Amino acid sequence: MTLSVSVADFARLIDGQVVRSSPVAITGVADPETAQADQATFFLERLPTPTGAGLVITQTKQDCPGTAAHITVAQPRVAFAYALAHFHPEPIKRPPVGIHPQALVHPTATIHPTACLGAGSYVGAGTTIGAETVLFPGVYLGDSVTVGRGCLLYPQVVVLDRGVLGDRVILHPGVVIGGDGFGFTSTPQGQLKVPQVGRVVLEDDVEIGANSTVDRATLRETRIGRGSKLDNLVMIGHNVQMGQDCLVVSQSGIGGSTKLGDRIIVAAQSGIASMTHIEIGADSVIYGRAGVHKSFPSGSQIAGFPAQDRLRERRQQVSLTKVPELLKEMRELQKRVQDLEQAQGIPRTPQA
Amino acid sequence: MTLSVSVADFARLIDGQVVRSSPVAITGVADPETAQADQATFFLERLPTPTGAGLVITQTKQDCPGTAAHITVAQPRVAFAYALAHFHPEPIKRPPVGIHPQALVHPTATIHPTACLGAGSYVGAGTTIGAETVLFPGVYLGDSVTVGRGCLLYPQVVVLDRGVLGDRVILHPGVVIGGDGFGFTSTPQGQLKVPQVGRVVLEDDVEIGANSTVDRATLRETRIGRGSKLDNLVMIGHNVQMGQDCLVVSQSGIGGSTKLGDRIIVAAQSGIASMTHIEIGADSVIYGRAGVHKSFPSGSQIAGFPAQDRLRERRQQVSLTKVPELLKEMRELQKRVQDLEQAQGIPRTPQA
Amino acid sequence: MTLSVSVADFARLIDGQVVRSSPVAITGVADPETAQADQATFFLERLPTPTGAGLVITQTKQDCPGTAAHITVAQPRVAFAYALAHFHPEPIKRPPVGIHPQALVHPTATIHPTACLGAGSYVGAGTTIGAETVLFPGVYLGDSVTVGRGCLLYPQVVVLDRGVLGDRVILHPGVVIGGDGFGFTSTPQGQLKVPQVGRVVLEDDVEIGANSTVDRATLRETRIGRGSKLDNLVMIGHNVQMGQDCLVVSQSGIGGSTKLGDRIIVAAQSGIASMTHIEIGADSVIYGRAGVHKSFPSGSQIAGFPAQDRLRERRQQVSLTKVPELLKEMRELQKRVQDLEQAQGIPRTPQA
């Protein structure tokens, strides 16, 4: 297998130091528990464990099992990512370059000759697709959509009209880009729809997980900044402006018109309320299941519902666990005060 | 551009009053910040801001920038919706009228000649599609489905057998209508599936956001009332009966067999428990992230988890923020009582 | 209609006892409220109600309306499931056996001759499909996928490369199996993607609701145990190991690398945090909207956020409702202590 590498080449691949070499050719990466003599294994969060791996990679030098080769590397998780990428250049097999005869491409669309369009993919009028971009079978691109270079659009992805995708954007199956924002206004005849005439822009290196949705803006654009990564079943409301390198974990929802700075982490199942033009400053962390109703400055640690500073929230949570005891103490103290009052002849009625 | 209008015609379009006119032809609507001399802008929630717009629409007469024309209107948001609809009659371009050669239509299906069926759409046996209804590419309609007039079904929408859609129903990409309700019963051999043999009915003017799901009923029907609007990633369980003109914001879930009256607002990420036949009266509001476990009468304001009257919930929330202080006060008061007891010679042991 | 049965045969079908017979032929099952003279009805949770049904099934003998036949059965819900399955063997009509001419099947795929492949379904290289398995139109199976016997894959289902489905697996519309796990590692240049090279395994009799997603593992496999049932819009993270006969209700999320034992119930809108290798023991129940941050042993009853033992959580919740009253009592008691102090001539300053 041409992907197999010597221990020395493996060290070069991950920018590590060979502590102990061996003549074994490494053909892949595996968990410590299952790794074989021709496989490398990484000790990441876990403590060192017995392993049959032929090569062990750790952050600091340590006793390694048997005759296994040993490499140290400053950042094992980064090294792990590089090693996996070497051995698995295409974890999901792509359709071949070119336009499948059962793809449907509008004559005014512009498709780069190195792009791949799978069977049953659909490309609307005036849409442009860049070099080496892949549309798996069943992808739908509306009219006037722009897709950059090196994008991966998995089956059943939908990008409606005017959507803009930068380079190397990855959309997992079932992602919907550019549905109508949820805009209605009450009238005596019921809810009147506010047309949503804007678009969605996904900058370079954005990745969005399966069945997530990003609504298009009312007037201008909903924008996800360069390098931001969204997990599955995430909801991004209309007009949201998200900065660069954010992480939004699964089932979180960012309400319409929210502004998020760069490098924000939104943990799972959180929500930010819409319509109040909330702004969250850069480098903030929103903890899991938080419900955010107001703006926070850069570097905030945000938790709870209604969300507040995380330390304060934690202190409050801890105090709440003491309430049952507090109730008992109150009963007791009331009794003691009553005793004191009686001793002094104060004719107070006892508490109910 | 034929859609451009004079200031006087614009006022007629939105039923407003011209305060100051100008000879400019208005060609579109934009945000105050970006509006150009040939565009109208609305001051909605925001305070008046500097704008380059050629026409400013407000609720009450006010000083407008430079030479801009000015119209007042009783309900600016309604006017905003009408103006957008005028300039953007088709925000997402529809497929042409007729059946695309790559659509697949069962010979027993009935398709109105003014309907549009996109490429790769699928229509099952005995299914009926009304006038001017649009199936975008990749829509799936099962057997015996009924779709009314003027509906918009976006790509990858699925309506399973026996689903009924009224007129002007809008289903955004990835919506699933009529999946099996989640019905199982425990047996020593594991979970036994309860067949779900009912259907889903979406009345006129219902709109459902991307990747939301509405399950079909066990025996009869799951029903969404006329004019109700659901946002993205909403889950409607089997047998739910929802009234008219409700709003259900994103990522909320309505558990099986719940009954909702008319004009109920369910804010984002809320949940109503299933299986207990909860009823929520008309004109109630369920606030964001509420978790509802019991029925509420009409006009209720519902918040928290477990959900209760909103004012009561808020009072309780406020009281909880005082618990850390209360703990300190308790320690102090215990000390004072102990001092009193000692002064009286009461041999009580101090609190732990 | 050939499915109609006599009262005696109906009793045999559901393993029940005829209390009172009648000559009527039963042609279906209906709600008590709508049942007709040729229909059976079950009294399940509900108290007996007036009904026009020709056959009433209950757990214990009771007075039944008019001349209706009457059957008792030990487990009415199980009987209800069997009766519905008899009268509705195919609640959603399947495509005919064989490969639709508009299906696209890779020449190296192996399709059992009794399988049904609908129009526009796609089957990748080296993929295997077992006997009597049904792919509805628009299903996508990637390369090297294995699907067992008797599976139902509804429209727009996606199973990416190397996915393994046992026998009788049901995937509702829009389900995505095998999307990339959410694995990134921070670098100065932004988030670096950790390739996800594992797979998903769904064991026999697994059922997954509409638009739910199960991510593939980083290295090995994400596994859902035999007989487990997932509702709609559920998210299963990478590397999750779920036991047998679990129930996961809608909009819940199981974070990456969680281990769940057998027969666990996860109620709606719950979450289990990822990355901390949480283990939940068999036969546990996670109540609705719980947020779980730590492991729990078998048989646990888990509720709240942060989740804890349910009884403790409930006690704490009840105590919190008493805090407003507690605050009042504190004020009052402080006043009484102050009075006592004054009576003793202690010159203490009153509380603020």
Side-chain angles (χ1 to χ4, degrees), chain A residues 101-104 122 138-140 143 155-158 160-162 174-176 178-197 210-216 218-220 233-236 251-254 269-272 274-275 277 288-293 305-306 308 312 315-316 318-320 322-323 325-326 329-330 332-333 335-337 339-340 343-344, chain B residues 29-34 41 45-46 75 77-86 88 90-95 100 102 118-119 136-138 154-156 170 172-174 207 209-211 226-233 245-251 265 269 288-290 304 313 317 320-324 326-327 330-331 333-342 344 346 348-352:
Chain A
Q102 286 174 35
L104 204 89
Y122 179 99
V139 168
Y140 175 90
D143 288 3
Q156 324 293 31
V157 160
V158 173
L160 291 180
D161 301 10
R162 302 183 302 286
V175 165
V176 176
D180 282 21
F182 195 65
F184 298 93
T185 187
S186 291
T187 76
Q189 293 76 44
Q191 299 294 338
L192 178 66
K193 182 171 179 64
V194 178
Q196 306 288 309
V197 306
N211 284 345
S212 289
T213 70
V214 182
D215 280 356
R216 70 182 190 275
T218 310
L219 285 175
R220 296 163 74 179
L233 294 170
V234 165
M235 157 69 189
I236 307 292
Q251 295 180 318
S252 289
I254 313 289
Q269 297 187 330
S270 304
I272 302 180
S274 62
M275 311 246 243
H277 300 279
R289 300 183 78 82
V292 182
H293 271 95
F305 176 62
Q308 52 179 321
R312 226 181 116 209
R315 223 175 302 131
Q316 195 185 317
V318 169
S319 79
L320 298 188
K322 296 178 182 157
V323 170
E325 180 61 24
L326 191 58
E329 290 181 7
M330 174 58 81
E332 191 175 276
L333 197 61
K335 179 72 177 60
R336 285 163 65 188
V337 170
D339 289 349
L340 284 164
Q344 291 213 347
Chain B
V29 175
D31 266 324
E33 294 82 1
T34 63
T41 202
E45 308 90 13
R46 285 182 259 203
Q75 298 187 70
R77 268 194 79 80
V78 171
F80 179 62
Y82 281 122
L84 282 177
H86 171 80
H88 303 270
E90 198 174 320
I92 302 295
K93 180 81 179 165
R94 299 166 191 184
H100 191 282
Q102 286 174 34
F136 279 78
Y154 284 99
Q156 324 294 34
I170 301 176
H172 287 284
E207 179 167 347
N211 284 346
R226 191 196 55 67
S228 287
K229 316 293 185 186
L230 282 54
D231 200 349
N232 299 1
L233 294 169
D245 295 315
C246 293
L247 289 177
V248 183
V249 188
S250 66
Q251 296 180 318
I265 296 173
Q269 298 187 329
R289 301 183 76 82
E313 201 269 341
Q317 286 301 322
L320 297 189
T321 64
K322 297 178 181 156
V323 170
L326 191 58
L327 284 164
M330 175 57 81
R331 295 298 155 259
L333 198 60
Q334 285 169 334
K335 179 72 177 61
R336 286 164 64 188
V337 169
Q338 194 187 331
D339 289 348
L340 284 164
E341 289 167 343
Q342 284 178 339
Q344 292 214 346
I346 299 178
R348 219 190 255 272
T349 35
Q351 289 296 304

